[in-house]
Amino acid sequence: MRILLNGEVHELPAPATVADLLERSGHAGRKVAVEVNLEVVPRSQHGSRELAEGDRVEIIHAIGGG
């Protein structure tokens, strides 16, 4: 299945959850915010929120600086 991840086409085997995507993209275990189709997905739902063909996903992580 194809999704748009942070503005780029990304291929995933179906079915896939937000947690699967985070694992495959190297973000598992990191503190990130995930938005699917302009809707924030709470961390508690990452394992159950399934992705679908054409979904637009944004993964955002904070970067500290000073």
Side-chain angles (χ1 to χ4, degrees):
M1 115 176 99
R2 285 185 177 175
I3 63 166
L4 197 61
L5 173 59
N6 292 346
E8 296 183 14
V9 176
H10 191 78
E11 294 278 341
L12 282 177
T17 64
V18 169
D20 296 330
L21 175 61
L22 291 173
E23 182 71 36
R24 289 179 168 275
S25 64
H27 291 93
R30 296 184 182 179
K31 292 185 178 183
V32 296
V34 180
E35 182 181 272
V36 178
N37 301 325
L38 303 176
E39 180 182 320
V40 174
V41 179
R43 187 180 317 270
S44 63
Q45 295 178 12
H46 287 182
S48 61
R49 174 58 163 87
E50 290 194 12
L51 299 171
E53 180 78 26
D55 277 350
R56 293 176 175 262
V57 181
E58 295 290 329
I59 298 175
I60 303 162
H61 53 91
I63 299 176

